[in-house]
Amino acid sequence: MARHSDQEEIVIYISAGFATAPYFLDAFGAAMAERYASEGIRARVVIHYPYGDWTRERRKQLKEIVSDLWNNAHQKPSYYGGKSLTELITQDFIRGQKLLLIGHSAGAVASVQAAEIMEKQEIPLLGVIQIGSPKCAIPSSIKHKVLYLKAANQLDQSTDPIPRLGTWGGWAKSRMGTFRWNGLKHAPIHRRTLYLIGGHADYFRDHNPYIWQDATNLQTTVQTIWQWLNRTEKDDEHD
């Protein structure tokens, strides 16, 4: 991974999903910061609850998440989670920094919506990581910067129901001039399956029984993200 000067800083915005417990993402954020620190790179982590945490009324959160998914599918701006994250970054961001946006569940939808705006504003975007996210349309301008992760067990069976929600599909024109449905028209280019113990709420577990092949779920998640970030940054250096 390319090294950054002491003056440069990476800011990692980690966005939670529906009714998430406070501090649930803290260990994950610390693990990501430690990975950068091991490379001599300063990284600051900001954990955000774009729809509120588990103390907020769940009916309101669901209404906002559905609204954001609908607006995403119809190429309209977010009124809730994506807007909240965009406002936070705008207030918090300092020119010269680089952004890494990571979202779990509905927080991953908000991350994509904010990333599109950041890209238009020419703010350096290292990538967007969607973890256990509903499918949502990825703007073509950032498709190559998005990594989509979903959980499965050791028999390659999906253990997270949330990625079954939503759609990447759209109508595409064939060579014959007819239109057909393409289920991957708006899909992220980079998609990975994580072999973990557990399901939707367990990507960030760092203790028994969430250990397989001598790695905790948290270690597997962080390692997969780290390998992808290294590869994509090296690709950018050779463009």
Side-chain angles (χ1 to χ4, degrees):
M1 175 172 285
R3 293 184 176 274
H4 300 266
S5 71
D6 292 338
Q7 287 72 40
E8 290 181 313
E9 183 180 46
I10 293 170
V11 186
I12 307 171
Y13 291 91
I14 303 177
S15 294
F18 170 71
T20 301
Y23 313 115
F24 176 70
L25 293 166
D26 286 15
F28 172 59
M32 288 299 303
E34 287 171 7
R35 275 301 181 102
Y36 276 108
S38 70
E39 295 288 325
I41 302 169
R42 292 191 306 164
R44 179 166 60 90
V45 174
V46 179
I47 296 176
H48 184 51
Y49 295 79
Y51 304 100
D53 62 21
W54 68 0
T55 64
R56 186 166 181 255
E57 187 178 343
R58 297 190 176 198
R59 181 178 59 83
K60 291 182 179 179
Q61 292 190 48
L62 281 173
K63 180 180 177 181
E64 293 173 1
I65 291 167
V66 170
S67 171
D68 276 352
L69 280 168
W70 191 92
N71 284 343
N72 166 268
H74 293 83
Q75 299 182 346
K76 295 183 178 181
S78 162
Y79 290 126
Y80 298 106
K83 180 180 179 181
S84 172
L85 179 57
T86 299
E87 290 175 348
L88 173 65
I89 295 172
T90 301
Q91 295 168 3
D92 185 62
F93 179 76
I94 300 173
R95 288 287 174 178
Q97 296 174 335
K98 295 184 178 181
L99 303 183
L100 175 61
L101 305 185
I102 305 177
H104 175 240
S105 194
V109 178
S111 296
V112 165
Q113 291 172 321
E116 182 180 16
I117 295 174
M118 297 301 105
E119 188 78 2
K120 289 178 179 178
Q121 295 178 359
E122 298 184 346
I123 292 175
L125 181 66
L126 291 177
V128 183
I129 316 296
Q130 294 189 291
I131 303 173
S133 173
K135 294 181 179 69
C136 68
I138 308 300
S140 58
S141 61
I142 62 170
K143 267 190 174 185
H144 63 296
K145 292 186 176 182
V146 178
L147 172 64
Y148 184 90
L149 301 176
K150 66 176 183 178
N153 62 21
Q154 289 67 51
L155 298 177
D156 205 25
Q157 298 169 333
S158 174
T159 58
D160 183 352
I162 301 302
R164 300 172 191 167
L165 304 177
T167 183
W168 289 322
W171 292 102
K173 194 173 184 179
S174 71
R175 294 179 181 177
M176 303 297 293
T178 59
F179 285 88
R180 62 181 179 83
W181 184 257
N182 180 352
L184 295 176
K185 181 176 181 179
H186 302 295
I189 293 173
H190 308 284
R191 304 185 297 275
R192 305 281 189 277
T193 297
L194 297 179
Y195 295 99
L196 306 174
I197 306 297
H200 184 66
D202 302 316
Y203 292 90
F204 315 114
R205 307 294 186 189
D206 61 353
H207 53 79
N208 277 317
Y210 303 100
I211 299 175
W212 187 66
Q213 292 190 337
D214 298 322
T216 66
N217 286 1
L218 176 63
Q219 289 170 331
T220 298
T221 300
V222 171
Q223 180 64 14
T224 302
I225 292 171
W226 191 250
Q227 289 175 343
W228 180 78
L229 287 170
N230 271 278
R231 195 192 78 173
T232 53
E233 186 160 325
K234 288 175 181 176
D235 289 345
D236 287 345
E237 288 173 355
H238 289 90
D239 285 347

